[in-house]
Coordinates of all heavy atoms in Angstrom, one line a residue:
M500 N -37.9 -44.1 -12.0 CA -39.1 -43.9 -11.1 C -39.6 -45.2 -10.6 O -40.0 -45.5 -9.5 CB -40.2 -43.0 -11.7 CG -39.9 -41.6 -11.7 SD -39.5 -41.0 -10.0 CE -40.7 -39.7 -9.7
K501 N -39.8 -46.2 -11.6 CA -40.4 -47.4 -11.4 C -39.5 -48.2 -10.3 O -40.0 -48.9 -9.5 CB -40.5 -48.3 -12.7 CG -41.9 -48.5 -13.2 CD -42.0 -49.4 -14.2 CE -43.5 -49.7 -14.5 NZ -43.5 -50.5 -15.8
A502 N -38.2 -48.2 -10.5 CA -37.3 -48.9 -9.7 C -37.4 -48.4 -8.2 O -37.4 -49.2 -7.2 CB -35.9 -48.7 -10.1
D503 N -37.7 -47.0 -8.1 CA -37.9 -46.5 -6.7 C -39.1 -47.1 -6.0 O -39.0 -47.5 -4.8 CB -38.1 -45.0 -6.8 CG -36.8 -44.3 -7.1 OD1 -35.7 -45.0 -7.1 OD2 -36.8 -43.1 -7.5
I504 N -40.2 -47.2 -6.8 CA -41.4 -47.8 -6.3 C -41.2 -49.2 -5.9 O -41.6 -49.6 -4.7 CB -42.7 -47.7 -7.2 CG1 -42.9 -46.2 -7.4 CG2 -43.8 -48.5 -6.7 CD1 -43.8 -46.0 -8.7
L505 N -40.5 -50.0 -6.7 CA -40.2 -51.4 -6.4 C -39.4 -51.5 -5.2 O -39.6 -52.4 -4.2 CB -39.5 -52.1 -7.6 CG -39.1 -53.6 -7.5 CD1 -40.6 -54.4 -7.4 CD2 -38.4 -54.0 -8.6
E506 N -38.4 -50.7 -5.1 CA -37.5 -50.7 -3.9 C -38.3 -50.4 -2.6 O -38.0 -51.0 -1.6 CB -36.4 -49.6 -4.1 CG -35.1 -50.0 -3.5 CD -33.9 -49.2 -4.0 OE1 -33.7 -48.2 -3.4 OE2 -33.4 -49.6 -5.0
K507 N -39.2 -49.5 -2.6 CA -40.0 -49.1 -1.5 C -40.9 -50.3 -1.2 O -41.0 -50.6 0.1 CB -40.8 -47.9 -1.9 CG -41.4 -47.2 -0.7 CD -42.0 -45.8 -1.1 CE -42.7 -45.2 0.2 NZ -44.1 -45.8 0.4
S508 N -41.4 -51.0 -2.2 CA -42.2 -52.1 -1.7 C -41.5 -53.3 -1.1 O -42.0 -53.8 -0.1 CB -42.9 -52.7 -3.1 OG -43.5 -51.7 -3.8
I509 N -40.3 -53.5 -1.6 CA -39.5 -54.5 -1.0 C -39.1 -54.1 0.5 O -39.2 -55.0 1.3 CB -38.2 -54.8 -1.8 CG1 -38.5 -55.4 -3.1 CG2 -37.2 -55.6 -1.0 CD1 -37.4 -55.4 -4.2
F510 N -38.8 -52.9 0.6 CA -38.5 -52.4 1.8 C -39.7 -52.5 2.9 O -39.5 -53.0 4.0 CB -38.2 -50.8 1.8 CG -37.7 -50.2 3.1 CD1 -36.4 -50.6 3.6 CD2 -38.6 -49.3 3.8 CE1 -36.1 -49.9 4.7 CE2 -38.2 -48.7 4.9 CZ -36.9 -49.0 5.4
E511 N -40.9 -52.3 2.4 CA -42.1 -52.4 3.3 C -42.3 -53.8 3.5 O -42.7 -54.2 4.6 CB -43.3 -51.7 2.6 CG -43.2 -50.2 2.7 CD -44.3 -49.5 2.1 OE1 -45.1 -50.2 1.4 OE2 -44.3 -48.2 2.0
L512 N -42.2 -54.6 2.6 CA -42.4 -56.2 2.8 C -41.4 -56.6 3.9 O -41.8 -57.5 4.7 CB -42.1 -56.9 1.4 CG -43.4 -57.2 0.6 CD1 -42.9 -57.8 -0.6 CD2 -44.3 -58.2 1.4
Q513 N -40.2 -56.2 3.8 CA -39.2 -56.7 4.9 C -39.7 -56.5 6.2 O -39.5 -57.2 7.2 CB -37.9 -56.0 4.6 CG -37.1 -56.6 3.5 CD -35.8 -56.0 3.2 OE1 -35.6 -54.8 3.5 NE2 -34.9 -56.5 2.6
F514 N -40.4 -55.4 6.5 CA -40.8 -55.1 7.7 C -42.1 -55.8 8.1 O -42.5 -55.9 9.3 CB -41.1 -53.6 7.9 CG -39.8 -52.8 8.1 CD1 -39.2 -52.2 7.0 CD2 -39.2 -52.8 9.3 CE1 -38.0 -51.5 7.2 CE2 -38.0 -52.2 9.5 CZ -37.4 -51.5 8.5
R515 N -42.8 -56.5 7.1 CA -43.9 -57.3 7.4 C -43.6 -58.6 7.9 O -44.4 -59.3 8.3 CB -45.0 -57.2 6.3 CG -45.5 -55.8 6.2 CD -46.8 -55.7 5.4 NE -47.1 -54.3 5.1 CZ -47.3 -53.9 3.9 NH1 -47.2 -54.8 2.8 NH2 -47.5 -52.7 3.6
I516 N -42.4 -59.0 7.5 CA -42.0 -60.3 7.8 C -41.5 -60.2 9.3 O -40.6 -59.4 9.6 CB -40.8 -60.8 6.9 CG1 -41.4 -60.9 5.5 CG2 -40.2 -62.2 7.4 CD1 -40.3 -61.2 4.5
Q517 N -42.0 -61.1 10.1 CA -41.7 -61.1 11.5 C -40.2 -61.4 11.7 O -39.7 -62.4 11.2 CB -42.5 -62.1 12.4 CG -44.0 -61.6 12.4 CD -44.7 -62.6 13.3 OE1 -44.4 -63.6 13.6 NE2 -45.9 -62.0 13.9
K518 N -39.6 -60.6 12.7 CA -38.3 -61.0 13.1 C -38.4 -61.3 14.6 O -39.1 -60.6 15.4 CB -37.4 -59.8 12.9 CG -36.8 -59.7 11.6 CD -35.6 -58.6 11.7 CE -34.9 -58.4 10.3 NZ -33.9 -57.3 10.4
Q519 N -37.7 -62.3 15.0 CA -37.7 -62.8 16.4 C -36.9 -61.8 17.3 O -35.9 -61.3 16.9 CB -37.0 -64.1 16.5 CG -38.0 -65.3 16.2 CD -37.4 -66.6 16.7 OE1 -36.6 -66.6 17.7 NE2 -37.9 -67.6 16.2
V520 N -37.6 -61.5 18.4 CA -36.9 -60.7 19.4 C -36.1 -61.7 20.3 O -36.5 -62.7 20.8 CB -37.9 -60.1 20.4 CG1 -37.3 -59.3 21.5 CG2 -39.0 -59.2 19.6
T521 N -34.7 -61.4 20.2 CA -33.8 -62.4 20.7 C -32.9 -61.8 21.8 O -32.1 -62.5 22.4 CB -32.9 -63.0 19.7 OG1 -32.3 -62.0 19.0 CG2 -33.7 -63.8 18.6
E522 N -33.1 -60.5 22.0 CA -32.2 -59.8 23.0 C -33.0 -59.0 24.0 O -34.0 -58.5 23.7 CB -31.2 -58.9 22.3 CG -30.1 -59.7 21.7 CD -28.9 -58.8 21.2 OE1 -28.7 -57.7 21.6 OE2 -28.2 -59.4 20.2
V523 N -32.4 -58.9 25.2 CA -33.1 -58.2 26.3 C -32.0 -57.2 26.8 O -30.9 -57.6 27.1 CB -33.6 -59.1 27.3 CG1 -34.1 -58.3 28.6 CG2 -34.7 -60.0 26.9
R524 N -32.5 -56.0 26.9 CA -31.5 -55.0 27.5 C -31.8 -54.7 29.0 O -33.0 -54.5 29.4 CB -31.6 -53.7 26.6 CG -30.6 -52.7 27.1 CD -30.5 -51.6 26.0 NE -30.1 -52.1 24.7 CZ -30.4 -51.6 23.6 NH1 -31.3 -50.7 23.4 NH2 -29.8 -52.1 22.4
K525 N -30.8 -54.9 29.8 CA -30.9 -54.7 31.2 C -30.5 -53.3 31.6 O -29.6 -52.7 31.3 CB -30.1 -55.7 32.0 CG -30.3 -55.7 33.4 CD -29.4 -56.9 34.0 CE -29.6 -57.0 35.5 NZ -28.7 -56.2 36.3
T526 N -31.5 -52.6 32.3 CA -31.3 -51.2 32.9 C -31.2 -51.4 34.4 O -31.2 -52.4 34.9 CB -32.4 -50.3 32.5 OG1 -33.6 -50.8 33.0 CG2 -32.6 -50.1 31.0
A527 N -31.0 -50.2 35.1 CA -30.9 -50.3 36.5 C -31.8 -51.3 37.3 O -31.4 -52.0 38.2 CB -30.9 -48.9 37.0
N528 N -33.1 -51.1 36.9 CA -34.1 -51.9 37.7 C -35.1 -52.6 36.8 O -36.2 -53.0 37.2 CB -34.8 -51.0 38.7 CG -35.2 -49.7 38.1 OD1 -35.3 -49.5 36.9 ND2 -35.5 -48.6 38.9
S529 N -34.8 -52.7 35.5 CA -35.8 -53.3 34.6 C -35.1 -53.9 33.4 O -33.9 -53.8 33.2 CB -36.9 -52.2 34.1 OG -38.0 -52.9 33.6
Y530 N -35.9 -54.8 32.7 CA -35.5 -55.4 31.5 C -36.3 -54.9 30.4 O -37.5 -54.8 30.5 CB -35.6 -56.8 31.6 CG -34.6 -57.5 32.5 CD1 -35.0 -57.8 33.9 CD2 -33.4 -57.9 32.1 CE1 -34.1 -58.4 34.8 CE2 -32.5 -58.6 33.0 CZ -32.8 -58.7 34.3 OH -32.0 -59.4 35.1
F531 N -35.7 -54.7 29.2 CA -36.4 -54.2 28.0 C -36.1 -55.1 26.8 O -34.9 -55.4 26.6 CB -36.2 -52.8 27.7 CG -36.7 -51.7 28.6 CD1 -35.9 -51.2 29.5 CD2 -38.1 -51.4 28.5 CE1 -36.5 -50.2 30.5 CE2 -38.6 -50.5 29.5 CZ -37.8 -49.9 30.4
P532 N -37.1 -55.6 26.1 CA -36.7 -56.4 25.0 C -36.2 -55.4 23.9 O -36.6 -54.3 23.8 CB -38.1 -56.9 24.5 CG -39.2 -56.3 25.4 CD -38.5 -55.6 26.4
V533 N -35.3 -56.0 23.1 CA -34.7 -55.1 22.1 C -35.3 -55.4 20.6 O -35.3 -56.6 20.3 CB -33.2 -55.3 22.0 CG1 -32.4 -54.5 21.0 CG2 -32.6 -54.9 23.5
C534 N -35.6 -54.4 19.9 CA -36.1 -54.6 18.6 C -35.0 -55.1 17.7 O -33.9 -54.5 17.6 CB -36.7 -53.2 18.0 SG -37.1 -53.2 16.2
P535 N -35.2 -56.2 16.9 CA -34.3 -56.7 16.0 C -34.2 -55.8 14.8 O -33.1 -56.0 14.0 CB -34.8 -58.1 15.7 CG -36.3 -58.0 15.8 CD -36.5 -57.0 16.9
G536 N -35.0 -54.9 14.6 CA -35.0 -54.1 13.3 C -34.1 -52.9 13.6 O -33.2 -52.5 12.8
C537 N -34.4 -52.1 14.7 CA -33.7 -50.8 14.8 C -32.8 -50.8 16.1 O -32.2 -49.9 16.4 CB -34.7 -49.7 14.9 SG -35.8 -49.7 16.3
N538 N -32.9 -52.0 16.8 CA -32.0 -52.1 18.0 C -32.3 -51.2 19.2 O -31.4 -50.8 19.9 CB -30.5 -52.1 17.6 CG -29.6 -52.8 18.5 OD1 -29.9 -53.8 19.1 ND2 -28.4 -52.2 18.8
T539 N -33.5 -50.7 19.3 CA -33.9 -49.8 20.3 C -34.8 -50.6 21.4 O -35.4 -51.7 21.0 CB -34.7 -48.5 20.0 OG1 -35.8 -48.9 19.2 CG2 -33.8 -47.6 19.1
S540 N -34.8 -50.2 22.6 CA -35.5 -50.9 23.7 C -37.1 -50.7 23.3 O -37.5 -49.6 22.9 CB -35.3 -50.4 25.0 OG -33.9 -50.3 25.2
L541 N -37.8 -51.9 23.5 CA -39.2 -51.8 23.3 C -39.9 -51.5 24.6 O -39.5 -52.0 25.7 CB -39.8 -53.1 22.7 CG -39.2 -53.5 21.3 CD1 -39.4 -54.9 21.1 CD2 -39.9 -52.7 20.3
E542 N -41.0 -50.7 24.6 CA -41.5 -50.3 25.9 C -42.4 -51.4 26.4 O -42.5 -51.5 27.6 CB -42.5 -49.1 25.6 CG -41.6 -47.8 25.4 CD -42.5 -46.6 25.0 OE1 -43.7 -46.6 25.3 OE2 -42.1 -45.7 24.4
R543 N -43.0 -52.1 25.6 CA -43.9 -53.3 26.0 C -43.5 -54.6 25.5 O -43.0 -54.7 24.4 CB -45.4 -53.0 25.6 CG -46.0 -52.0 26.4 CD -47.3 -51.5 25.7 NE -47.0 -50.6 24.5 CZ -47.7 -51.0 23.4 NH1 -48.6 -51.9 23.3 NH2 -47.4 -50.3 22.3
E544 N -43.6 -55.6 26.2 CA -43.4 -56.9 25.8 C -44.6 -57.4 24.9 O -45.8 -57.0 25.2 CB -43.2 -57.9 26.9 CG -41.9 -57.8 27.6 CD -41.7 -58.8 28.7 OE1 -42.5 -59.7 28.8 OE2 -40.8 -58.6 29.4
Y545 N -44.4 -58.3 24.0 CA -45.4 -58.9 23.2 C -46.1 -57.8 22.3 O -47.4 -58.1 22.0 CB -46.3 -59.8 24.0 CG -45.5 -60.8 24.8 CD1 -45.4 -60.8 26.2 CD2 -44.9 -61.8 24.0 CE1 -44.5 -61.7 26.8 CE2 -44.1 -62.7 24.7 CZ -44.0 -62.7 26.0 OH -43.2 -63.6 26.7
Q546 N -45.6 -56.8 22.0 CA -46.2 -55.8 21.0 C -46.0 -56.4 19.6 O -45.0 -57.0 19.3 CB -45.8 -54.4 21.2 CG -44.3 -54.2 21.0 CD -43.9 -52.8 21.3 OE1 -43.8 -52.4 22.5 NE2 -43.7 -51.9 20.4
S547 N -46.9 -56.2 18.7 CA -46.9 -56.7 17.4 C -45.8 -56.1 16.5 O -45.3 -56.7 15.6 CB -48.2 -56.8 16.7 OG -49.3 -57.4 17.5
Y548 N -45.7 -54.8 16.7 CA -44.9 -54.0 15.8 C -44.0 -53.1 16.6 O -44.5 -52.7 17.7 CB -45.6 -53.2 14.8 CG -46.3 -54.0 13.8 CD1 -47.7 -54.4 14.0 CD2 -45.8 -54.4 12.6 CE1 -48.4 -55.1 13.1 CE2 -46.5 -55.2 11.7 CZ -47.8 -55.4 11.9 OH -48.4 -56.2 11.0
C549 N -42.8 -52.8 16.1 CA -42.0 -51.9 16.8 C -42.5 -50.4 16.7 O -42.9 -50.0 15.5 CB -40.5 -51.9 16.3 SG -39.5 -50.6 16.9
D550 N -42.7 -49.7 17.8 CA -43.1 -48.3 17.6 C -42.3 -47.4 16.9 O -42.7 -46.4 16.1 CB -43.2 -47.6 19.0 CG -44.3 -48.4 19.9 OD1 -45.3 -48.9 19.2 OD2 -44.2 -48.4 21.0
R551 N -40.9 -47.7 16.8 CA -40.0 -46.8 16.2 C -39.9 -47.0 14.6 O -39.9 -46.2 13.8 CB -38.6 -46.9 16.8 CG -38.6 -46.8 18.2 CD -38.2 -45.3 18.6 NE -38.3 -45.2 20.1 CZ -37.3 -45.3 20.9 NH1 -36.1 -45.6 20.6 NH2 -37.5 -45.1 22.2
C552 N -39.6 -48.4 14.2 CA -39.3 -48.6 12.9 C -40.4 -49.4 12.1 O -40.4 -49.6 11.0 CB -38.0 -49.3 12.7 SG -38.0 -51.1 13.4
G553 N -41.4 -49.9 12.9 CA -42.5 -50.6 12.3 C -42.2 -52.1 12.0 O -43.0 -52.7 11.4
Q554 N -41.1 -52.4 12.5 CA -40.8 -53.9 12.3 C -41.7 -54.9 13.0 O -42.1 -54.7 14.0 CB -39.3 -54.1 12.8 CG -38.9 -55.6 12.9 CD -38.7 -56.2 11.4 OE1 -37.9 -55.7 10.7 NE2 -39.4 -57.2 11.1
A555 N -42.2 -55.9 12.2 CA -43.1 -56.9 12.8 C -42.3 -57.7 13.6 O -41.2 -58.2 13.3 CB -43.7 -57.6 11.6
L556 N -42.8 -58.1 14.8 CA -42.0 -58.7 15.9 C -42.6 -60.2 16.1 O -43.8 -60.4 16.2 CB -42.0 -58.0 17.1 CG -41.4 -56.6 17.0 CD1 -41.7 -55.8 18.3 CD2 -40.0 -56.5 16.7
S557 N -41.7 -61.1 16.3 CA -42.1 -62.5 16.7 C -41.5 -62.7 18.1 O -40.3 -62.5 18.3 CB -41.5 -63.5 15.7 OG -41.6 -64.7 16.3
W558 N -42.3 -63.1 19.0 CA -42.0 -63.4 20.3 C -41.7 -64.8 20.7 O -41.7 -65.3 21.8 CB -43.0 -62.8 21.3 CG -43.0 -61.3 21.0 CD1 -43.9 -60.6 20.2 CD2 -42.3 -60.3 21.8 NE1 -43.7 -59.2 20.3 CE2 -42.7 -59.0 21.3 CE3 -41.3 -60.3 22.7 CZ2 -42.1 -57.9 21.7 CZ3 -40.8 -59.1 23.2 CH2 -41.2 -57.9 22.7
R559 N -41.7 -65.6 19.6 CA -41.6 -67.1 19.8 C -40.5 -67.5 20.7 O -40.6 -68.4 21.5 CB -41.6 -67.8 18.5 CG -42.5 -68.9 18.5 CD -42.6 -69.5 17.0 NE -43.4 -68.6 16.1 CZ -43.3 -68.8 14.8 NH1 -42.8 -69.8 14.2 NH2 -44.2 -68.0 14.0
G560 N -39.3 -67.0 20.4 CA -38.0 -67.4 21.1 C -37.7 -66.4 22.3 O -36.7 -66.6 22.8
F561 N -38.7 -65.7 22.6 CA -38.3 -64.6 23.6 C -38.0 -65.2 24.9 O -37.0 -64.7 25.7 CB -39.5 -63.7 23.7 CG -39.2 -62.5 24.6 CD1 -38.1 -61.7 24.3 CD2 -40.0 -62.3 25.7 CE1 -37.9 -60.6 25.2 CE2 -39.6 -61.2 26.6 CZ -38.7 -60.4 26.3
R562 N -38.6 -66.3 25.4 CA -38.2 -66.8 26.7 C -36.7 -67.3 26.8 O -36.1 -67.3 27.9 CB -39.0 -68.1 27.0 CG -40.4 -67.6 27.5 CD -41.2 -68.8 27.9 NE -42.6 -68.5 28.0 CZ -43.5 -69.4 28.3 NH1 -43.1 -70.6 28.4 NH2 -44.8 -69.2 28.3
R563 N -36.1 -67.4 25.6 CA -34.7 -67.9 25.6 C -33.9 -66.7 25.2 O -32.7 -66.9 24.9 CB -34.5 -69.1 24.6 CG -35.2 -70.4 25.0 CD -34.8 -71.5 24.1 NE -34.9 -71.1 22.7 CZ -36.0 -71.3 21.9 NH1 -37.0 -71.8 22.5 NH2 -36.0 -70.9 20.6
A564 N -34.4 -65.6 25.2 CA -33.7 -64.4 24.8 C -32.5 -64.1 25.7 O -32.5 -64.5 27.0 CB -34.5 -63.1 24.9
K565 N -31.3 -63.6 25.1 CA -30.1 -63.4 25.9 C -30.2 -62.0 26.4 O -30.6 -61.1 25.7 CB -29.0 -63.8 25.1 CG -28.7 -62.9 23.9 CD -27.4 -63.2 23.2 CE -27.3 -62.3 22.0 NZ -26.2 -62.6 21.1
V566 N -29.6 -61.9 27.7 CA -29.5 -60.6 28.3 C -28.3 -59.9 27.7 O -27.1 -60.4 27.8 CB -29.5 -60.7 29.8 CG1 -29.3 -59.2 30.4 CG2 -30.8 -61.3 30.3
E567 N -28.5 -58.8 27.2 CA -27.5 -58.0 26.6 C -26.6 -57.3 27.7 O -27.2 -56.8 28.7 CB -27.9 -56.9 25.6 CG -26.9 -56.2 24.8 CD -27.6 -55.1 24.0 OE1 -27.8 -54.1 24.5 OE2 -28.0 -55.4 22.8
K568 N -25.3 -57.4 27.6 CA -24.5 -56.9 28.8 C -24.4 -55.4 28.5 O -24.2 -54.8 27.5 CB -23.1 -57.5 28.7 CG -23.1 -58.9 29.4 CD -21.8 -59.5 29.3 CE -21.9 -61.0 29.8 NZ -20.7 -61.8 29.4
N569 N -24.6 -54.7 29.7 CA -24.4 -53.2 29.7 C -22.9 -52.9 29.7 O -22.3 -53.0 30.7 CB -25.1 -52.7 31.0 CG -26.4 -51.9 30.6 OD1 -26.6 -51.7 29.4 ND2 -27.1 -51.5 31.6
T570 N -22.5 -52.5 28.5 CA -21.0 -52.0 28.5 C -20.9 -50.6 28.1 O -21.7 -50.1 27.4 CB -20.2 -52.9 27.4 OG1 -21.0 -53.0 26.2 CG2 -19.9 -54.4 28.1
Ligands
ZN1289 ZN1 -37.6 -51.0 15.7

């Protein structure tokens, strides 16, 4: 039981450490930043956390983000 709680804490901590948004997904007429945690498109730029997975986001390198090719 104790190990489970510890594991959960580590898991939660990981999501509090900011991850840089480094990818942008291109759709027909728009661009969406991609969450580095769960790899889904983010609805808004410069949001602090991902709506889906709760990953803390860093936008520091976002201007140099690469556009993901639609394949
Ligand atoms: Zn996410």
